[in-house]
């Protein structure tokens, strides 16, 4: 599952890299210091050579000279004395070469007879002017010298003073062996070198320790940031981006190994309700607990991710046992959880796909898993696998159901009212409330766009209650001639099956101060047939309270006539498909007449809906129908229009 993640460097390797990197500046510093120490040693060597040479000049050579200008050459006495000195000094290898020059730089005495013919060097002339010049060289390397190159030496030119009083008479040119000098100097430097190495070693250790610890801190921060970018802050689970990448990798690997992979989407039911009633803090705790539960019950190579809100994603390697595993997970999610001392339980709906059978592209797979999840929710089936037939449920429609829950709270629903006119005298006694959704992006939506799916989820109960309360309030608030006006609301099959419905209706009537007689509850035949016993008991309760019951779309289903007589029904509404074409279609006209007769025989009021033309209205009247409803008389309208529309029509004198 982690195949796509770049492998981090091992600590040992990182350690080695840091060791080498920290060594570089220390080595550079060591080299610079060593070079400067060497330079210092040279200077010291030369200084020592200079002072040795000055000693030789003052104590050895000067006393041997008469004080005469040397331009005239050395006297025989001087010559003899100098030879003796040289024999001793050169013999003992304290001096390698000794020459004496006059103030013009010309050699006047040379221990080995060399240099007499040569042109004076600049150093010699500088010595004649009173300067001391010293340099490191080798014997016989001057431009004028001949013979074999000798050992390393210090070559010194220094002014020679003699006579009484002392005066500059010439220049002494000395070559001293460098080895003994450098030996003394480097002996002194040795300690310095040791100190330098110890210092550098300590610097290296300190530098390494600092850079290692700083970089470790940085590495940790980088790792933390990388983790946060790919994980959910609340549950620490991978987020949608990482889930997507892992799903891609899993599908790819699965394809290569011919091992199918399951991808599932888990959505909690009623989570928003918990969040709203118990607060986000407790909602978060519930999510954290559930995330830990799901993660603990999947295998290490599977992936559990939080995709957002109350939605989780799952990648299962073992697709064969996927459905079973998901059902088990759903049961685990269902188990009670204690949050802030409250025992809570949430149900989950899970949709899943198996790759490559259900698709190979992750976006398509996720979209299909999502669709299966919506249907699992709509059908209360818990876990559902995608099947191509599900594509008939267009995905946009499915996501509308999710939005609807929010739309009710956000006040996006409105009621339109369609009047019902008494055929006998044209009086309007009732209106039917029909819901519409003022969708923020899709405009005004009619019930067929969102009700069929909403009816498969519990959101329909919320909608029924909203319609009930809104219709009662709006009709109650209509101006006084409408005091007697009845309002009909539609109740879906699912809501009819709930015992709480009657209670909710009676409570709303009391709360809003509307007499029960002013409310009609319309139910369809199919709603009754789903669970006739329960429906009967709800309708009975309503009827006892004074609420009237109307059987909507009558003729379209297969209500048993026995049931019709057993139920507390007050009104039959002939399905509009019969009314719409009753003029052209004699069979439909016959059905309309039969339903009217049946209704009257059972002492029921009969309403014909779908009246679009005058001839249809006349035909309905001829059939002895009681009430008409249809576009010819009025289209469903908003409550403001309704009060204006109703004003002239509430009196018995007005005729249709
Ligand atoms: P329904 O209860 O049979 O409502 C009558 C439908 O027929 C309404 O459609 C109305 O606009 C339409 N209609 C009225 N007169 C004519 C006509 O002359 N010609 C034609 N062609 N149609 C006419 P609408 O508003 O689209 O509602 C459709 C269905 O949605 C309703 O059928 C009802 O079953 C359901 N519905 C509407 N509001 C609610 C609601 O608040 N709750 C529930 N559970 N269902 C509702
Ligand atoms: Mg209706
Ligand atoms: Mg109807």
């Amino acid at each position: 599952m982690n195949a796509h993640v770049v492998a981090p460097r091992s600590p040992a390797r990182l350690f080695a890299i840091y060791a080498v990197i920290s060594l570089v500046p220390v080595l550079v510093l060591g080299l610079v210091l060593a070079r400067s120490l060497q330079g210092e040693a040279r200077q010291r060597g030369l200084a020592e050579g200079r002072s040795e040479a000055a000693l030789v000049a003052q104590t050895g050579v000067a006393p041997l000279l008469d004080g005469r200008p040397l331009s005239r050459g050395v006297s025989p006495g001087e010559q003899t004395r100098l030879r003796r000195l040289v024999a001793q000094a050169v013999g003992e290898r304290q001096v390698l070469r000794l020459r004496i020059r006059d103030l013009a730089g010309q050699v006047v005495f040379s221990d080995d007879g060399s240099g007499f013919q040569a042109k004076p060097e600049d150093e010699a002339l500088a010595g004649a002017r009173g300067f001391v010049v010293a340099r490191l060289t080798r014997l016989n390397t001057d431009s004028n010298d001949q013979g074999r190159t000798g050992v390393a030496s210090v070559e010194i030119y220094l002014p020679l003073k003699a006579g009484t009083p002392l005066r500059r008479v010439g220049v002494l040119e000395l070559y001293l062996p460098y080895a003994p000098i450098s030996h003394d100097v480097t002996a002194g430097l040795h300690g310095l070198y040791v100190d330098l190495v110890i210092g550098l070693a300590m610097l290296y250790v300190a530098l390494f320790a600092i850079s290692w610890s700083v970089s470790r801190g940085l590495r940790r921060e980088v790792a933390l940031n990388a983790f946060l970018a790919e994980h959910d802050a609340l549950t620490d689970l991978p987020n949608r981006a990482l889930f997507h990448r892992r799903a891609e990798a899993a599908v790819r690997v699965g394809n290569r190994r011919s091992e199918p992979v399951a991808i599932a989407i888990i959505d909690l039911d009623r989570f928003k309700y918990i969040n709203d009633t118990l607060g986000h803090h407790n909602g978060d705790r519930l999510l954290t607990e559930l995330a830990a539960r799901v993660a603990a019950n999947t295998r290490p190579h599977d992936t559990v991710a939080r995709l957002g809100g109350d939605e989780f994603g799952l990648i299962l390697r073992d697709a064969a046992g996927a459905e079973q595993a998901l059902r088990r997970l759903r049961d685990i999610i269902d188990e009670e959880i204690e949050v802030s001392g409250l025992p809570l339980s949430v149900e989950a709906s899970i949709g899943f796909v198996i790759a490559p059978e259900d698709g190979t592209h992750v976006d398509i797979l996720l979209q299909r898993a999502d669709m299966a999840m919506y249907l699992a929710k709509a059908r209360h089936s818990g876990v559902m696998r995608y099947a191509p037939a599900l594509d008939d449920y267009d995905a946009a429609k499915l996501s509308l159901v999710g939005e609807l829950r929010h739309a009710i709270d956000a006040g996006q629903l409105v009621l339109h009212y369609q009047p019902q006119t008494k055929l006998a005298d044209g009086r309007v006694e009732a209106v039917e409330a029909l819901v519409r959704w003022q969708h923020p992006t899709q405009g005004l939506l009619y019930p067929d766009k969102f009700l069929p799916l909403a009816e498969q989820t519990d959101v329909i109960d919320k909608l029924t209650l909203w319609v009930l309360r809104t219709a009662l309030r709006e009709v109650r608030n209509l101006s006084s001639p409408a005091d007697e006006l009845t309002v009909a609301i539609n109740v879906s099959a699912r809501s009819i099956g709930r015992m709480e419905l009657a209670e909710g209706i009676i409570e709303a009537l009391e709360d809003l101060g509307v007499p029960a007689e002013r409310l009609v509850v319309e139910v369809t035949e199919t709603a009754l047939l789903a669970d006739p016993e329960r429906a009967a008991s709800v309708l009975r309760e309503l009827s006892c309270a004074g609420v009237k019951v109307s059987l909507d779309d009558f003729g379209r289903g297969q209500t048993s006539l026995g049931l019709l007589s057993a139920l507390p029904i007050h009104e039959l509404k002939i399905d509009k498909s019969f009314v719409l074409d009753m003029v052209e279609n004699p069979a439909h006209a016959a059905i309309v007449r039969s339903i009217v007769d049946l209704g009257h025989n059972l002492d029921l009021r009969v309403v014909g809906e779908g009246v679009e033309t005058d001839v249809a209205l006349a035909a309905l009247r001829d059939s002895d129908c009681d009430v008409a409803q249809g576009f010819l008389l009025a289209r469903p309208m908003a409550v403001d229009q309704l009060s204006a529309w109703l004003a002239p029509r509430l009196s018995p004198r007005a005729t249709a």
Side-chain angles (χ1 to χ4, degrees):
M1 209 51 77
N2 285 326
H4 58 284
V5 179
V6 179
R9 287 198 173 111
S10 74
R13 213 169 140 210
L14 269 179
F15 195 86
I17 291 174
Y18 273 90
V20 172
I21 289 177
S22 318
L23 195 59
V24 173
V26 175
L27 282 182
V28 170
L29 182 65
L31 279 177
V32 170
L33 286 177
R35 278 188 79 88
S36 111
L37 277 179
Q38 269 174 1
E40 179 66 17
R42 246 167 81 107
Q43 291 308 320
R44 279 206 210 172
L46 290 176
E48 197 150 312
R50 258 197 303 261
S51 46
E52 264 184 47
L55 199 65
V56 171
Q58 281 161 26
T59 60
V61 178
L64 305 182
L65 300 178
D66 305 339
R68 289 180 310 122
L70 288 170
S71 49
R72 278 189 253 151
V74 284
S75 65
E78 286 172 330
Q79 187 75 257
T80 316
R81 289 192 294 275
L82 283 172
R83 289 242 163 266
R84 218 178 289 139
L85 170 75
V86 162
Q88 189 189 348
V90 174
E92 289 172 8
R93 306 237 8 116
Q94 287 165 350
V95 172
L96 297 174
R97 171 177 285 165
L98 188 152
R99 285 175 183 156
I100 292 175
R101 295 171 182 261
D102 63 14
L103 287 172
Q106 286 298 338
V107 174
V108 291
F109 174 83
S110 172
D111 68 312
D112 53 3
S114 64
F116 284 100
Q117 307 306 324
K119 214 176 136 231
E121 290 133 344
D122 289 345
E123 291 88 343
L125 295 173
R129 288 199 303 276
F131 295 104
V132 179
V133 179
R135 60 187 177 113
L136 264 180
T137 182
R138 285 179 178 273
L139 210 56
N140 294 333
T141 50
D142 281 358
S143 50
N144 313 323
D145 286 337
Q146 282 150 13
R148 276 199 314 141
T149 302
V151 295
S153 55
V154 185
E155 182 186 13
I156 304 129
Y157 295 85
L158 78 168
L160 206 48
K161 289 180 181 164
T164 324
L166 270 179
R167 58 193 163 103
R168 214 183 306 148
V169 290
V171 176
L172 176 65
E173 181 186 354
L174 267 183
Y175 283 78
L176 300 173
Y178 184 59
I181 296 175
S182 97
H183 179 77
D184 288 354
V185 172
T186 42
L189 283 181
H190 187 73
L192 265 180
Y193 276 121
V194 171
D195 288 352
L196 177 67
V197 170
I198 293 174
L200 286 177
M202 282 165 64
L203 179 69
Y204 171 65
V205 170
L207 209 63
F208 175 71
I210 290 170
S211 65
W212 176 254
S213 92
V214 167
S215 86
R216 199 173 47 179
L218 283 176
R219 277 199 315 277
R220 272 198 199 134
E221 201 154 311
V222 168
L224 182 68
N225 284 342
F227 182 85
L228 289 180
E230 296 193 316
H231 290 79
D232 167 50
L234 179 69
T235 58
D236 278 354
L237 290 178
N239 62 14
R240 189 179 277 276
L242 183 56
F243 178 72
H244 198 278
R245 279 218 312 278
R246 288 199 181 171
E248 275 173 345
V251 170
R252 216 176 26 244
V253 173
N255 251 352
R256 211 170 42 231
R257 300 186 186 158
S258 303
E259 288 172 1
V261 172
I263 299 177
I265 289 180
I266 306 177
D267 193 274
L268 305 181
D269 303 337
R270 295 190 312 117
F271 177 72
K272 190 181 176 301
Y273 175 74
I274 292 177
N275 230 359
D276 290 348
T277 48
L278 299 180
H280 287 262
H281 171 66
N282 285 322
D284 283 356
R285 289 177 62 174
L286 182 78
L287 283 177
T288 318
E289 173 65 34
L290 284 180
R293 251 189 212 183
V294 175
N297 284 283
T298 44
R299 286 165 310 176
H301 55 259
D302 293 336
T303 291
V304 183
R306 183 171 173 219
L307 306 181
D310 56 357
E311 202 176 66
F312 294 87
L314 214 61
I315 303 167
L316 302 177
R317 282 287 185 82
D318 179 11
E323 174 143 14
Q324 217 177 345
L326 291 172
R327 288 205 181 278
R328 200 172 51 84
L329 266 185
R330 186 173 181 264
D331 292 343
I332 289 166
I333 293 174
D334 280 0
E335 281 167 20
E336 210 170 80
I337 295 183
E338 205 179 283
V339 173
S340 297
L342 289 171
L344 295 179
S345 70
V346 273
E347 286 187 357
S349 299
I350 305 180
F352 73 103
V353 284
I354 291 184
E357 207 179 311
D358 296 334
T360 45
H361 194 282
V362 168
D363 286 331
I364 303 247
L365 286 167
L366 288 178
Q367 197 185 323
R368 291 180 169 168
D370 221 34
M371 190 183 282
M373 182 276 288
Y374 265 117
L375 271 163
K377 207 180 263 284
R379 295 181 181 174
H380 290 265
S381 53
V383 177
M384 192 155 181
R385 180 178 167 187
Y386 165 82
L390 301 189
D391 278 333
D392 297 346
Y393 286 83
D394 108 49
K397 224 186 213 173
L398 285 167
S399 72
L400 265 186
V401 186
E403 283 180 53
L404 182 58
R405 203 182 294 272
H406 166 72
I408 300 175
D409 299 328
Q412 291 171 7
L413 297 189
V414 283
L415 289 182
H416 281 184
Y417 297 91
Q418 188 176 32
Q420 298 176 343
T421 308
K422 264 183 101 177
L423 282 165
D425 56 9
R427 220 153 49 126
V428 173
E429 281 183 341
V431 289
E432 179 180 5
L434 297 159
V435 72
R436 273 99 184 85
W437 179 358
Q438 189 63 59
H439 193 277
T441 55
Q442 300 182 31
L444 193 69
L445 299 181
Y446 284 80
D448 59 321
K449 282 272 179 297
F450 57 93
L451 276 188
L453 273 167
E455 277 175 350
Q456 298 185 43
T457 73
D458 56 6
V459 84
I460 193 69
D461 296 331
K462 194 171 174 179
L463 183 135
T464 303
L465 277 182
W466 180 88
V467 169
L468 167 74
R469 287 185 165 260
T470 310
L472 289 178
R473 201 181 51 245
E474 289 184 343
V475 170
R476 180 198 65 187
N477 292 348
L478 286 172
S479 50
S480 54
D483 279 352
E484 300 298 307
L485 196 71
T486 325
V487 64
I489 62 155
N490 294 280
V491 175
S492 75
R494 199 180 145 92
S495 301
I496 267 296
R498 305 210 169 215
M499 299 306 271
E500 316 93 78
L501 179 74
E503 267 171 47
I505 291 179
I506 293 162
E507 202 179 291
L509 287 166
E510 277 169 13
D511 280 357
L512 295 160
V514 179
E517 295 69 35
R518 292 187 63 187
L519 179 67
V520 177
V521 167
E522 292 189 10
V523 291
T524 57
E525 290 178 81
T526 29
L528 295 183
L529 292 175
D531 187 351
E533 267 176 46
R534 181 173 283 199
S537 101
V538 171
L539 295 185
R540 229 168 268 128
E541 204 176 330
L542 284 174
S543 181
C544 286
V547 176
K548 296 198 190 73
V549 177
S550 171
L551 200 50
D552 204 356
D553 301 345
F554 188 75
R556 202 200 280 182
Q558 315 100 23
T559 320
S560 91
L561 296 179
L563 189 68
L564 209 55
S565 63
L567 286 171
I569 291 170
H570 305 85
E571 179 184 280
L572 286 184
K573 283 185 90 171
I574 310 169
D575 190 66
K576 59 175 175 277
S577 59
F578 303 113
V579 179
L580 278 169
D581 64 351
M582 65 182 286
V583 178
E584 306 90 58
N585 188 335
H588 281 178
I591 290 173
V592 170
R593 276 195 302 275
S594 309
I595 295 176
V596 173
D597 284 347
L598 174 70
H600 286 169
N601 289 338
L602 289 169
D603 212 11
L604 305 175
R605 199 167 75 132
V606 182
V607 182
E609 62 178 341
V611 183
E612 291 188 351
T613 58
D614 288 318
V615 276
L617 183 68
L620 208 56
R621 194 181 276 128
D622 289 346
S623 309
D624 209 16
C625 187
D626 304 302
V627 178
Q629 180 182 346
F631 292 168
L632 174 73
L633 303 157
R635 284 185 176 260
M637 60 189 103
V639 69
D640 314 340
Q641 289 168 279
L642 179 69
S643 62
W645 189 92
L646 280 175
R649 294 177 172 87
L650 287 169
S651 74
R653 283 178 298 283
T655 47

